[in-house]
Amino acid sequence: MKRHIKSQVYWVGKKDWELTSFHGDEYSTHKGSSYNSFLIQEEKTVLIDTVWAPFAKDFVANLEQEIDLASIDYIIANHAEVDHSGALPELMQRIPDVPIYCTANGVKSLRGHYHQDWNFKTVKTGDTLDIGNGKQLVFIEAPMLHWPDSMFTYLTGDSILFSNDAFGQHYASEHLFNDQVDQEELFQEAIKYYANILTPFSPLVTKKIKEVLALEVPVDMIATSHGIIWRENPTQIVEKYLEWADQYQENRISLIYDTMWGGTRRLAEAIAEGIHNADPQVDVRLFNSAKRDKNDIMTEIFASKAIMLGSPTINKGILTSTAAIIEEAKGLKFRGKQAAAFGPYGWSGESVSILNKALEDSGFKLVNDGLKTLWEPDEAILDTARNFGKEFVAALEKG
Ligand code: FEO
């Protein structure tokens, strides 16, 4: 059933309560997700985005219960990624001539995915489409937020910004709007989404938001393509994005490690004790990278002013879960964060130098040479680790 959003605008998407991972298995979705599609029924009938392919048949069948598919005048494809375009092949079989409005890169992506020569209409920033009753759709290209083809669509009169992935959250709820859901859950999923998907594009986020704000158009609602729609104080998420895009950090230090027989864990705990004793205000947190969720750890790094990465040496290398963490962090291009490495060894002892290089290559600023300790930590080594934590805090204060 379509659900009313505002005036003649309806939600016709899919809530996906079962989703546990997104982008294959790259992004954990503890709270499910939704694929938001919108139907505008003014003089013209417009469909904005669709849903992920597994739900294509249901999507088209549900839509057909609401409207005659032949009455759709325009389809807007704000983004070609399959979670939003996945029902197009099913839909276009039924209405093959209906124009699909998207960016030039959108045409390339949609052709690349589906190898169909649909009736594409290419749009650029500032282009408009009249939908009757004095209302227009205004298109705003948003390249690399987060794909080259991404764009926003603004509905005049109702002042709704259809922002696609931007401002979204992987968050299933039977509610549609931000004022109806648990705020802590909502913002946790929003920051996780930003940290894991948008961080690499932060400079572009700032630039695009400023460009949109400069238009000085009213925004009554931000209708994202995942999760809930922002209607109560909708620009609060825009303000959050400006904050998050500006090398966001809290007074937090995250210690991320993996351990074979507990030596690296004991070092991590002693370092954390040293950090806490040196600065009781700092929120120091420990994560075993083999036991904790990778995307949750990325969100913790995103919110940290500094991190430490720990691994014992194994086969002249590091444990694979720490290698995966730093590889993921490298891609996300965190900026303005300080770091250090630690790890015990028995004979060859390469882990700390490998971690140091990986941290530097990933854009973290090393504050020291790291802590490398021989064999299982005894009380003297644990004292050294406590002191390492204390000195790390002092170095950060200088940094
Ligand atoms: Fe929700 Fe970039 O797709």
Side-chain angles (χ1 to χ4, degrees), residues 11-14 35-39 47-66 69 72 84-88 90-91:
W11 179 91
V12 289
K14 171 69 186 171
Y35 318 105
N36 298 337
S37 169
F38 301 97
L39 184 68
L47 182 70
I48 299 185
D49 294 323
T50 67
V51 299
W52 188 28
F55 304 108
K57 282 192 189 302
D58 284 351
F59 171 77
V60 173
N62 290 341
L63 200 56
E64 200 165 21
Q65 287 188 1
E66 302 294 344
L69 295 181
I72 297 176
H84 309 296
S85 66
L88 280 178
E90 185 77 20
L91 183 63

PDB file of all heavy atoms in Angstrom, residues 11-14 35-39 47-66 69 72 84-88 90-91:
ATOM      1  N   TRP A  11       4.903   7.305  -0.421  1.00  0.00           N
ATOM      2  CA  TRP A  11       6.004   6.324  -0.344  1.00  0.00           C
ATOM      3  C   TRP A  11       5.499   5.013  -0.921  1.00  0.00           C
ATOM      4  O   TRP A  11       4.428   4.534  -0.551  1.00  0.00           O
ATOM      5  CB  TRP A  11       6.407   6.159   1.131  1.00  0.00           C
ATOM      6  CG  TRP A  11       7.506   5.160   1.368  1.00  0.00           C
ATOM      7  CD1 TRP A  11       8.855   5.412   1.409  1.00  0.00           C
ATOM      8  CD2 TRP A  11       7.373   3.757   1.636  1.00  0.00           C
ATOM      9  NE1 TRP A  11       9.553   4.261   1.665  1.00  0.00           N
ATOM     10  CE2 TRP A  11       8.663   3.223   1.807  1.00  0.00           C
ATOM     11  CE3 TRP A  11       6.278   2.888   1.734  1.00  0.00           C
ATOM     12  CZ2 TRP A  11       8.897   1.874   2.085  1.00  0.00           C
ATOM     13  CZ3 TRP A  11       6.511   1.543   2.012  1.00  0.00           C
ATOM     14  CH2 TRP A  11       7.809   1.050   2.185  1.00  0.00           C
ATOM     15  N   VAL A  12       6.282   4.435  -1.829  1.00  0.00           N
ATOM     16  CA  VAL A  12       5.887   3.142  -2.423  1.00  0.00           C
ATOM     17  C   VAL A  12       7.068   2.158  -2.402  1.00  0.00           C
ATOM     18  O   VAL A  12       7.198   1.312  -3.279  1.00  0.00           O
ATOM     19  CB  VAL A  12       5.364   3.328  -3.872  1.00  0.00           C
ATOM     20  CG1 VAL A  12       4.002   4.010  -3.880  1.00  0.00           C
ATOM     21  CG2 VAL A  12       6.365   4.102  -4.736  1.00  0.00           C
ATOM     22  N   GLY A  13       7.930   2.308  -1.408  1.00  0.00           N
ATOM     23  CA  GLY A  13       9.156   1.505  -1.366  1.00  0.00           C
ATOM     24  C   GLY A  13       8.998   0.176  -0.665  1.00  0.00           C
ATOM     25  O   GLY A  13       7.900  -0.398  -0.599  1.00  0.00           O
ATOM     26  N   LYS A  14      10.110  -0.324  -0.141  1.00  0.00           N
ATOM     27  CA  LYS A  14      10.132  -1.633   0.523  1.00  0.00           C
ATOM     28  C   LYS A  14      10.927  -1.535   1.814  1.00  0.00           C
ATOM     29  O   LYS A  14      12.062  -1.045   1.829  1.00  0.00           O
ATOM     30  CB  LYS A  14      10.812  -2.650  -0.422  1.00  0.00           C
ATOM     31  CG  LYS A  14      11.091  -3.985   0.219  1.00  0.00           C
ATOM     32  CD  LYS A  14       9.824  -4.757   0.517  1.00  0.00           C
ATOM     33  CE  LYS A  14      10.134  -6.030   1.305  1.00  0.00           C
ATOM     34  NZ  LYS A  14       8.909  -6.688   1.787  1.00  0.00           N
ATOM     35  N   TYR A  35      14.279   0.517   1.049  1.00  0.00           N
ATOM     36  CA  TYR A  35      14.551   1.088  -0.269  1.00  0.00           C
ATOM     37  C   TYR A  35      13.362   1.982  -0.552  1.00  0.00           C
ATOM     38  O   TYR A  35      12.251   1.495  -0.803  1.00  0.00           O
ATOM     39  CB  TYR A  35      14.694  -0.025  -1.315  1.00  0.00           C
ATOM     40  CG  TYR A  35      15.507  -1.178  -0.762  1.00  0.00           C
ATOM     41  CD1 TYR A  35      14.879  -2.368  -0.373  1.00  0.00           C
ATOM     42  CD2 TYR A  35      16.874  -1.050  -0.554  1.00  0.00           C
ATOM     43  CE1 TYR A  35      15.601  -3.390   0.197  1.00  0.00           C
ATOM     44  CE2 TYR A  35      17.602  -2.069   0.018  1.00  0.00           C
ATOM     45  CZ  TYR A  35      16.960  -3.240   0.395  1.00  0.00           C
ATOM     46  OH  TYR A  35      17.681  -4.251   0.979  1.00  0.00           O
ATOM     47  N   ASN A  36      13.567   3.269  -0.443  1.00  0.00           N
ATOM     48  CA  ASN A  36      12.454   4.208  -0.534  1.00  0.00           C
ATOM     49  C   ASN A  36      12.223   4.642  -1.976  1.00  0.00           C
ATOM     50  O   ASN A  36      13.144   5.124  -2.637  1.00  0.00           O
ATOM     51  CB  ASN A  36      12.711   5.432   0.340  1.00  0.00           C
ATOM     52  CG  ASN A  36      12.824   5.064   1.812  1.00  0.00           C
ATOM     53  OD1 ASN A  36      12.305   4.030   2.239  1.00  0.00           O
ATOM     54  ND2 ASN A  36      13.514   5.891   2.596  1.00  0.00           N
ATOM     55  N   SER A  37      11.015   4.450  -2.420  1.00  0.00           N
ATOM     56  CA  SER A  37      10.613   4.893  -3.749  1.00  0.00           C
ATOM     57  C   SER A  37       9.411   5.812  -3.529  1.00  0.00           C
ATOM     58  O   SER A  37       8.625   5.600  -2.594  1.00  0.00           O
ATOM     59  CB  SER A  37      10.221   3.659  -4.573  1.00  0.00           C
ATOM     60  OG  SER A  37       9.601   4.042  -5.777  1.00  0.00           O
ATOM     61  N   PHE A  38       9.297   6.822  -4.370  1.00  0.00           N
ATOM     62  CA  PHE A  38       8.243   7.826  -4.149  1.00  0.00           C
ATOM     63  C   PHE A  38       7.405   8.028  -5.407  1.00  0.00           C
ATOM     64  O   PHE A  38       7.940   8.045  -6.522  1.00  0.00           O
ATOM     65  CB  PHE A  38       8.868   9.149  -3.708  1.00  0.00           C
ATOM     66  CG  PHE A  38       9.670   9.028  -2.438  1.00  0.00           C
ATOM     67  CD1 PHE A  38      11.059   8.875  -2.485  1.00  0.00           C
ATOM     68  CD2 PHE A  38       9.054   9.017  -1.192  1.00  0.00           C
ATOM     69  CE1 PHE A  38      11.808   8.728  -1.322  1.00  0.00           C
ATOM     70  CE2 PHE A  38       9.795   8.864  -0.017  1.00  0.00           C
ATOM     71  CZ  PHE A  38      11.176   8.719  -0.090  1.00  0.00           C
ATOM     72  N   LEU A  39       6.118   8.193  -5.174  1.00  0.00           N
ATOM     73  CA  LEU A  39       5.175   8.421  -6.262  1.00  0.00           C
ATOM     74  C   LEU A  39       4.586   9.816  -6.084  1.00  0.00           C
ATOM     75  O   LEU A  39       4.086  10.147  -4.997  1.00  0.00           O
ATOM     76  CB  LEU A  39       4.062   7.366  -6.175  1.00  0.00           C
ATOM     77  CG  LEU A  39       3.016   7.359  -7.282  1.00  0.00           C
ATOM     78  CD1 LEU A  39       3.642   6.930  -8.616  1.00  0.00           C
ATOM     79  CD2 LEU A  39       1.872   6.401  -6.900  1.00  0.00           C
ATOM     80  N   LEU A  47       7.471   8.721 -10.804  1.00  0.00           N
ATOM     81  CA  LEU A  47       8.036   7.736  -9.881  1.00  0.00           C
ATOM     82  C   LEU A  47       9.496   8.097  -9.651  1.00  0.00           C
ATOM     83  O   LEU A  47      10.260   8.252 -10.617  1.00  0.00           O
ATOM     84  CB  LEU A  47       7.930   6.332 -10.485  1.00  0.00           C
ATOM     85  CG  LEU A  47       8.433   5.203  -9.593  1.00  0.00           C
ATOM     86  CD1 LEU A  47       7.490   4.991  -8.407  1.00  0.00           C
ATOM     87  CD2 LEU A  47       8.583   3.902 -10.383  1.00  0.00           C
ATOM     88  N   ILE A  48       9.870   8.263  -8.374  1.00  0.00           N
ATOM     89  CA  ILE A  48      11.265   8.572  -8.062  1.00  0.00           C
ATOM     90  C   ILE A  48      11.923   7.326  -7.462  1.00  0.00           C
ATOM     91  O   ILE A  48      11.537   6.860  -6.385  1.00  0.00           O
ATOM     92  CB  ILE A  48      11.375   9.759  -7.077  1.00  0.00           C
ATOM     93  CG1 ILE A  48      10.757  11.010  -7.715  1.00  0.00           C
ATOM     94  CG2 ILE A  48      12.830  10.002  -6.679  1.00  0.00           C
ATOM     95  CD1 ILE A  48      10.904  12.272  -6.905  1.00  0.00           C
ATOM     96  N   ASP A  49      12.886   6.787  -8.189  1.00  0.00           N
ATOM     97  CA  ASP A  49      13.653   5.602  -7.786  1.00  0.00           C
ATOM     98  C   ASP A  49      12.746   4.377  -7.607  1.00  0.00           C
ATOM     99  O   ASP A  49      11.516   4.491  -7.583  1.00  0.00           O
ATOM    100  CB  ASP A  49      14.482   5.871  -6.512  1.00  0.00           C
ATOM    101  CG  ASP A  49      15.569   6.909  -6.753  1.00  0.00           C
ATOM    102  OD1 ASP A  49      16.151   6.894  -7.860  1.00  0.00           O
ATOM    103  OD2 ASP A  49      15.822   7.748  -5.861  1.00  0.00           O
ATOM    104  N   THR A  50      13.381   3.211  -7.513  1.00  0.00           N
ATOM    105  CA  THR A  50      12.609   1.978  -7.305  1.00  0.00           C
ATOM    106  C   THR A  50      13.192   1.253  -6.099  1.00  0.00           C
ATOM    107  O   THR A  50      13.545   1.922  -5.118  1.00  0.00           O
ATOM    108  CB  THR A  50      12.603   1.084  -8.579  1.00  0.00           C
ATOM    109  OG1 THR A  50      13.919   0.572  -8.836  1.00  0.00           O
ATOM    110  CG2 THR A  50      12.099   1.851  -9.794  1.00  0.00           C
ATOM    111  N   VAL A  51      13.282  -0.068  -6.163  1.00  0.00           N
ATOM    112  CA  VAL A  51      13.787  -0.858  -5.026  1.00  0.00           C
ATOM    113  C   VAL A  51      14.820  -1.859  -5.537  1.00  0.00           C
ATOM    114  O   VAL A  51      15.045  -1.987  -6.738  1.00  0.00           O
ATOM    115  CB  VAL A  51      12.636  -1.596  -4.299  1.00  0.00           C
ATOM    116  CG1 VAL A  51      11.622  -0.613  -3.750  1.00  0.00           C
ATOM    117  CG2 VAL A  51      11.973  -2.618  -5.212  1.00  0.00           C
ATOM    118  N   TRP A  52      15.400  -2.613  -4.616  1.00  0.00           N
ATOM    119  CA  TRP A  52      16.411  -3.621  -4.939  1.00  0.00           C
ATOM    120  C   TRP A  52      15.748  -4.791  -5.692  1.00  0.00           C
ATOM    121  O   TRP A  52      14.598  -5.161  -5.407  1.00  0.00           O
ATOM    122  CB  TRP A  52      17.059  -4.092  -3.634  1.00  0.00           C
ATOM    123  CG  TRP A  52      18.243  -4.983  -3.786  1.00  0.00           C
ATOM    124  CD1 TRP A  52      19.133  -5.030  -4.821  1.00  0.00           C
ATOM    125  CD2 TRP A  52      18.667  -5.977  -2.840  1.00  0.00           C
ATOM    126  NE1 TRP A  52      20.086  -5.981  -4.569  1.00  0.00           N
ATOM    127  CE2 TRP A  52      19.833  -6.566  -3.379  1.00  0.00           C
ATOM    128  CE3 TRP A  52      18.185  -6.409  -1.594  1.00  0.00           C
ATOM    129  CZ2 TRP A  52      20.517  -7.584  -2.709  1.00  0.00           C
ATOM    130  CZ3 TRP A  52      18.869  -7.408  -0.929  1.00  0.00           C
ATOM    131  CH2 TRP A  52      20.021  -7.986  -1.479  1.00  0.00           C
ATOM    132  N   ALA A  53      16.509  -5.369  -6.602  1.00  0.00           N
ATOM    133  CA  ALA A  53      15.985  -6.383  -7.529  1.00  0.00           C
ATOM    134  C   ALA A  53      15.196  -7.535  -6.877  1.00  0.00           C
ATOM    135  O   ALA A  53      14.170  -7.950  -7.428  1.00  0.00           O
ATOM    136  CB  ALA A  53      17.125  -6.935  -8.378  1.00  0.00           C
ATOM    137  N   PRO A  54      15.622  -8.093  -5.720  1.00  0.00           N
ATOM    138  CA  PRO A  54      14.835  -9.210  -5.163  1.00  0.00           C
ATOM    139  C   PRO A  54      13.377  -8.834  -4.887  1.00  0.00           C
ATOM    140  O   PRO A  54      12.528  -9.710  -4.769  1.00  0.00           O
ATOM    141  CB  PRO A  54      15.562  -9.550  -3.856  1.00  0.00           C
ATOM    142  CG  PRO A  54      16.945  -9.066  -4.062  1.00  0.00           C
ATOM    143  CD  PRO A  54      16.840  -7.844  -4.936  1.00  0.00           C
ATOM    144  N   PHE A  55      13.108  -7.553  -4.772  1.00  0.00           N
ATOM    145  CA  PHE A  55      11.737  -7.110  -4.461  1.00  0.00           C
ATOM    146  C   PHE A  55      11.041  -6.502  -5.681  1.00  0.00           C
ATOM    147  O   PHE A  55       9.979  -5.886  -5.551  1.00  0.00           O
ATOM    148  CB  PHE A  55      11.766  -6.100  -3.308  1.00  0.00           C
ATOM    149  CG  PHE A  55      12.451  -6.645  -2.086  1.00  0.00           C
ATOM    150  CD1 PHE A  55      13.707  -6.194  -1.709  1.00  0.00           C
ATOM    151  CD2 PHE A  55      11.853  -7.639  -1.326  1.00  0.00           C
ATOM    152  CE1 PHE A  55      14.357  -6.716  -0.598  1.00  0.00           C
ATOM    153  CE2 PHE A  55      12.490  -8.169  -0.214  1.00  0.00           C
ATOM    154  CZ  PHE A  55      13.738  -7.713   0.147  1.00  0.00           C
ATOM    155  N   ALA A  56      11.628  -6.690  -6.859  1.00  0.00           N
ATOM    156  CA  ALA A  56      11.117  -6.021  -8.063  1.00  0.00           C
ATOM    157  C   ALA A  56       9.690  -6.437  -8.395  1.00  0.00           C
ATOM    158  O   ALA A  56       8.832  -5.589  -8.664  1.00  0.00           O
ATOM    159  CB  ALA A  56      12.042  -6.302  -9.244  1.00  0.00           C
ATOM    160  N   LYS A  57       9.429  -7.741  -8.367  1.00  0.00           N
ATOM    161  CA  LYS A  57       8.090  -8.204  -8.759  1.00  0.00           C
ATOM    162  C   LYS A  57       7.028  -7.666  -7.796  1.00  0.00           C
ATOM    163  O   LYS A  57       5.976  -7.193  -8.218  1.00  0.00           O
ATOM    164  CB  LYS A  57       8.047  -9.736  -8.808  1.00  0.00           C
ATOM    165  CG  LYS A  57       8.680 -10.305 -10.074  1.00  0.00           C
ATOM    166  CD  LYS A  57       8.363 -11.782 -10.215  1.00  0.00           C
ATOM    167  CE  LYS A  57       9.161 -12.421 -11.347  1.00  0.00           C
ATOM    168  NZ  LYS A  57       8.945 -11.806 -12.658  1.00  0.00           N
ATOM    169  N   ASP A  58       7.329  -7.765  -6.494  1.00  0.00           N
ATOM    170  CA  ASP A  58       6.381  -7.249  -5.494  1.00  0.00           C
ATOM    171  C   ASP A  58       6.175  -5.749  -5.672  1.00  0.00           C
ATOM    172  O   ASP A  58       5.064  -5.239  -5.546  1.00  0.00           O
ATOM    173  CB  ASP A  58       6.898  -7.511  -4.071  1.00  0.00           C
ATOM    174  CG  ASP A  58       6.727  -8.970  -3.678  1.00  0.00           C
ATOM    175  OD1 ASP A  58       6.060  -9.710  -4.426  1.00  0.00           O
ATOM    176  OD2 ASP A  58       7.283  -9.352  -2.628  1.00  0.00           O
ATOM    177  N   PHE A  59       7.288  -5.065  -5.940  1.00  0.00           N
ATOM    178  CA  PHE A  59       7.216  -3.606  -6.103  1.00  0.00           C
ATOM    179  C   PHE A  59       6.277  -3.231  -7.245  1.00  0.00           C
ATOM    180  O   PHE A  59       5.379  -2.388  -7.085  1.00  0.00           O
ATOM    181  CB  PHE A  59       8.633  -3.068  -6.365  1.00  0.00           C
ATOM    182  CG  PHE A  59       8.699  -1.623  -6.756  1.00  0.00           C
ATOM    183  CD1 PHE A  59       8.552  -0.622  -5.800  1.00  0.00           C
ATOM    184  CD2 PHE A  59       8.916  -1.247  -8.081  1.00  0.00           C
ATOM    185  CE1 PHE A  59       8.616   0.715  -6.157  1.00  0.00           C
ATOM    186  CE2 PHE A  59       8.981   0.083  -8.439  1.00  0.00           C
ATOM    187  CZ  PHE A  59       8.827   1.068  -7.476  1.00  0.00           C
ATOM    188  N   VAL A  60       6.462  -3.867  -8.383  1.00  0.00           N
ATOM    189  CA  VAL A  60       5.638  -3.541  -9.546  1.00  0.00           C
ATOM    190  C   VAL A  60       4.187  -3.949  -9.292  1.00  0.00           C
ATOM    191  O   VAL A  60       3.248  -3.210  -9.614  1.00  0.00           O
ATOM    192  CB  VAL A  60       6.211  -4.197 -10.825  1.00  0.00           C
ATOM    193  CG1 VAL A  60       5.255  -4.011 -12.004  1.00  0.00           C
ATOM    194  CG2 VAL A  60       7.579  -3.589 -11.154  1.00  0.00           C
ATOM    195  N   ALA A  61       3.999  -5.125  -8.671  1.00  0.00           N
ATOM    196  CA  ALA A  61       2.631  -5.586  -8.376  1.00  0.00           C
ATOM    197  C   ALA A  61       1.933  -4.613  -7.419  1.00  0.00           C
ATOM    198  O   ALA A  61       0.759  -4.256  -7.612  1.00  0.00           O
ATOM    199  CB  ALA A  61       2.670  -6.986  -7.780  1.00  0.00           C
ATOM    200  N   ASN A  62       2.658  -4.166  -6.396  1.00  0.00           N
ATOM    201  CA  ASN A  62       2.066  -3.216  -5.437  1.00  0.00           C
ATOM    202  C   ASN A  62       1.730  -1.889  -6.109  1.00  0.00           C
ATOM    203  O   ASN A  62       0.686  -1.294  -5.851  1.00  0.00           O
ATOM    204  CB  ASN A  62       3.034  -2.957  -4.266  1.00  0.00           C
ATOM    205  CG  ASN A  62       3.160  -4.175  -3.378  1.00  0.00           C
ATOM    206  OD1 ASN A  62       2.301  -5.060  -3.404  1.00  0.00           O
ATOM    207  ND2 ASN A  62       4.236  -4.237  -2.604  1.00  0.00           N
ATOM    208  N   LEU A  63       2.653  -1.451  -6.960  1.00  0.00           N
ATOM    209  CA  LEU A  63       2.437  -0.181  -7.661  1.00  0.00           C
ATOM    210  C   LEU A  63       1.190  -0.276  -8.541  1.00  0.00           C
ATOM    211  O   LEU A  63       0.387   0.660  -8.617  1.00  0.00           O
ATOM    212  CB  LEU A  63       3.682   0.114  -8.507  1.00  0.00           C
ATOM    213  CG  LEU A  63       3.926   1.542  -8.968  1.00  0.00           C
ATOM    214  CD1 LEU A  63       3.966   2.507  -7.794  1.00  0.00           C
ATOM    215  CD2 LEU A  63       5.232   1.613  -9.758  1.00  0.00           C
ATOM    216  N   GLU A  64       1.042  -1.429  -9.153  1.00  0.00           N
ATOM    217  CA  GLU A  64      -0.090  -1.637 -10.067  1.00  0.00           C
ATOM    218  C   GLU A  64      -1.425  -1.642  -9.327  1.00  0.00           C
ATOM    219  O   GLU A  64      -2.468  -1.355  -9.902  1.00  0.00           O
ATOM    220  CB  GLU A  64       0.104  -2.952 -10.810  1.00  0.00           C
ATOM    221  CG  GLU A  64      -0.706  -3.031 -12.076  1.00  0.00           C
ATOM    222  CD  GLU A  64      -0.236  -4.165 -12.981  1.00  0.00           C
ATOM    223  OE1 GLU A  64       0.414  -5.087 -12.478  1.00  0.00           O
ATOM    224  OE2 GLU A  64      -0.542  -4.091 -14.182  1.00  0.00           O
ATOM    225  N   GLN A  65      -1.371  -1.982  -8.037  1.00  0.00           N
ATOM    226  CA  GLN A  65      -2.609  -1.919  -7.248  1.00  0.00           C
ATOM    227  C   GLN A  65      -3.000  -0.478  -6.951  1.00  0.00           C
ATOM    228  O   GLN A  65      -4.157  -0.182  -6.663  1.00  0.00           O
ATOM    229  CB  GLN A  65      -2.429  -2.671  -5.931  1.00  0.00           C
ATOM    230  CG  GLN A  65      -2.416  -4.172  -6.145  1.00  0.00           C
ATOM    231  CD  GLN A  65      -2.445  -4.940  -4.830  1.00  0.00           C
ATOM    232  OE1 GLN A  65      -2.488  -4.346  -3.764  1.00  0.00           O
ATOM    233  NE2 GLN A  65      -2.434  -6.244  -4.930  1.00  0.00           N
ATOM    234  N   GLU A  66      -2.022   0.417  -7.009  1.00  0.00           N
ATOM    235  CA  GLU A  66      -2.276   1.827  -6.680  1.00  0.00           C
ATOM    236  C   GLU A  66      -2.622   2.648  -7.915  1.00  0.00           C
ATOM    237  O   GLU A  66      -3.440   3.560  -7.847  1.00  0.00           O
ATOM    238  CB  GLU A  66      -1.041   2.452  -6.018  1.00  0.00           C
ATOM    239  CG  GLU A  66      -0.574   1.744  -4.753  1.00  0.00           C
ATOM    240  CD  GLU A  66      -1.577   1.847  -3.618  1.00  0.00           C
ATOM    241  OE1 GLU A  66      -2.491   2.699  -3.679  1.00  0.00           O
ATOM    242  OE2 GLU A  66      -1.461   1.059  -2.667  1.00  0.00           O
ATOM    243  N   LEU A  69      -0.132   1.460 -14.438  1.00  0.00           N
ATOM    244  CA  LEU A  69       1.286   1.718 -14.745  1.00  0.00           C
ATOM    245  C   LEU A  69       1.436   2.625 -15.968  1.00  0.00           C
ATOM    246  O   LEU A  69       2.374   3.420 -16.055  1.00  0.00           O
ATOM    247  CB  LEU A  69       2.038   0.403 -14.980  1.00  0.00           C
ATOM    248  CG  LEU A  69       2.158  -0.543 -13.777  1.00  0.00           C
ATOM    249  CD1 LEU A  69       2.960  -1.781 -14.167  1.00  0.00           C
ATOM    250  CD2 LEU A  69       2.786   0.147 -12.573  1.00  0.00           C
ATOM    251  N   ILE A  72       2.044   6.410 -15.606  1.00  0.00           N
ATOM    252  CA  ILE A  72       3.319   7.023 -15.180  1.00  0.00           C
ATOM    253  C   ILE A  72       3.879   7.829 -16.344  1.00  0.00           C
ATOM    254  O   ILE A  72       4.088   7.317 -17.441  1.00  0.00           O
ATOM    255  CB  ILE A  72       4.342   5.941 -14.735  1.00  0.00           C
ATOM    256  CG1 ILE A  72       3.808   5.186 -13.507  1.00  0.00           C
ATOM    257  CG2 ILE A  72       5.701   6.574 -14.426  1.00  0.00           C
ATOM    258  CD1 ILE A  72       4.691   4.033 -13.052  1.00  0.00           C
ATOM    259  N   HIS A  84      18.464   0.817  -5.807  1.00  0.00           N
ATOM    260  CA  HIS A  84      17.430   1.788  -6.193  1.00  0.00           C
ATOM    261  C   HIS A  84      16.910   1.593  -7.618  1.00  0.00           C
ATOM    262  O   HIS A  84      15.805   2.012  -7.931  1.00  0.00           O
ATOM    263  CB  HIS A  84      17.957   3.221  -6.030  1.00  0.00           C
ATOM    264  CG  HIS A  84      18.560   3.449  -4.689  1.00  0.00           C
ATOM    265  ND1 HIS A  84      17.804   3.378  -3.538  1.00  0.00           N
ATOM    266  CD2 HIS A  84      19.840   3.654  -4.296  1.00  0.00           C
ATOM    267  CE1 HIS A  84      18.608   3.556  -2.496  1.00  0.00           C
ATOM    268  NE2 HIS A  84      19.835   3.720  -2.927  1.00  0.00           N
ATOM    269  N   SER A  85      17.732   0.987  -8.450  1.00  0.00           N
ATOM    270  CA  SER A  85      17.320   0.809  -9.852  1.00  0.00           C
ATOM    271  C   SER A  85      16.890  -0.629 -10.129  1.00  0.00           C
ATOM    272  O   SER A  85      16.475  -0.949 -11.241  1.00  0.00           O
ATOM    273  CB  SER A  85      18.489   1.165 -10.781  1.00  0.00           C
ATOM    274  OG  SER A  85      19.550   0.235 -10.612  1.00  0.00           O
ATOM    275  N   GLY A  86      16.987  -1.492  -9.118  1.00  0.00           N
ATOM    276  CA  GLY A  86      16.826  -2.928  -9.331  1.00  0.00           C
ATOM    277  C   GLY A  86      15.479  -3.359  -9.883  1.00  0.00           C
ATOM    278  O   GLY A  86      15.373  -4.443 -10.473  1.00  0.00           O
ATOM    279  N   ALA A  87      14.458  -2.538  -9.714  1.00  0.00           N
ATOM    280  CA  ALA A  87      13.139  -2.930 -10.230  1.00  0.00           C
ATOM    281  C   ALA A  87      12.871  -2.332 -11.606  1.00  0.00           C
ATOM    282  O   ALA A  87      11.817  -2.572 -12.185  1.00  0.00           O
ATOM    283  CB  ALA A  87      12.044  -2.506  -9.250  1.00  0.00           C
ATOM    284  N   LEU A  88      13.831  -1.562 -12.131  1.00  0.00           N
ATOM    285  CA  LEU A  88      13.594  -0.950 -13.454  1.00  0.00           C
ATOM    286  C   LEU A  88      13.370  -1.991 -14.552  1.00  0.00           C
ATOM    287  O   LEU A  88      12.440  -1.830 -15.353  1.00  0.00           O
ATOM    288  CB  LEU A  88      14.756  -0.015 -13.830  1.00  0.00           C
ATOM    289  CG  LEU A  88      14.745   1.383 -13.193  1.00  0.00           C
ATOM    290  CD1 LEU A  88      15.978   2.173 -13.622  1.00  0.00           C
ATOM    291  CD2 LEU A  88      13.470   2.152 -13.568  1.00  0.00           C
ATOM    292  N   GLU A  90      12.020  -4.910 -14.484  1.00  0.00           N
ATOM    293  CA  GLU A  90      10.658  -5.447 -14.350  1.00  0.00           C
ATOM    294  C   GLU A  90       9.625  -4.389 -14.772  1.00  0.00           C
ATOM    295  O   GLU A  90       8.683  -4.673 -15.497  1.00  0.00           O
ATOM    296  CB  GLU A  90      10.436  -5.839 -12.877  1.00  0.00           C
ATOM    297  CG  GLU A  90       9.127  -6.510 -12.580  1.00  0.00           C
ATOM    298  CD  GLU A  90       9.091  -7.969 -13.003  1.00  0.00           C
ATOM    299  OE1 GLU A  90      10.161  -8.573 -13.176  1.00  0.00           O
ATOM    300  OE2 GLU A  90       7.963  -8.481 -13.184  1.00  0.00           O
ATOM    301  N   LEU A  91       9.860  -3.171 -14.310  1.00  0.00           N
ATOM    302  CA  LEU A  91       8.914  -2.089 -14.595  1.00  0.00           C
ATOM    303  C   LEU A  91       8.938  -1.706 -16.071  1.00  0.00           C
ATOM    304  O   LEU A  91       7.890  -1.503 -16.696  1.00  0.00           O
ATOM    305  CB  LEU A  91       9.261  -0.882 -13.715  1.00  0.00           C
ATOM    306  CG  LEU A  91       8.352   0.324 -13.805  1.00  0.00           C
ATOM    307  CD1 LEU A  91       6.935  -0.004 -13.339  1.00  0.00           C
ATOM    308  CD2 LEU A  91       8.913   1.487 -12.977  1.00  0.00           C
TER     309      LEU A  91
END
